[in-house]
Amino acid sequence: IEIGDVFIRGGSPGHAVIVVDLVQDSATNEKMVLLAQSYMPAQDIHILKNPANADFSPWYLVKDMSADFLTPEWTFSGNNLKHFK
């Protein structure tokens, strides 16, 4: 997972959230990301809270993102992650 990667959920309506920052704990190598989203028109981009982990919110533990994970309004899974080269 890298900054700029996108979790995309198709459908009608579908939705996407973007990875806007990434940190890694030097002692444990554990990674966390910040996610952001917007709605159409994309004029008001905001950082998402982590409703499943108030201790780390707004950060999301990458290890918790391999299965289904919650954002305030949507559920994503690890296979929703897309990387653009």
Side-chain angles (χ1 to χ4, degrees):
I1 192 166
E2 298 177 19
I3 295 170
D5 287 354
V6 181
F7 287 92
I8 301 173
R9 224 179 106 184
S12 182
H15 195 63
V17 296
I18 187 168
V19 177
V20 294
D21 202 1
L22 172 86
V23 295
Q24 184 170 0
D25 186 306
S26 61
T28 65
N29 289 326
E30 191 166 59
K31 293 181 181 180
M32 294 189 291
V33 295
L34 280 179
L35 301 176
Q37 73 176 12
S38 180
Y39 288 97
M40 297 301 278
Q43 297 177 12
D44 183 25
I45 297 171
H46 56 274
I47 300 295
L48 296 176
K49 293 180 182 179
N50 182 346
N53 193 337
D55 292 337
F56 290 113
S57 186
W59 294 92
Y60 287 77
L61 291 164
V62 171
K63 70 178 183 180
D64 293 342
M65 301 172 99
S66 59
D68 288 351
F69 67 94
L70 300 173
T71 67
E73 299 173 82
W74 295 84
T75 301
F76 290 91
S77 68
N79 65 0
N80 295 139
L81 182 64
K82 306 299 179 198
H83 178 77
F84 300 94
K85 294 184 180 189

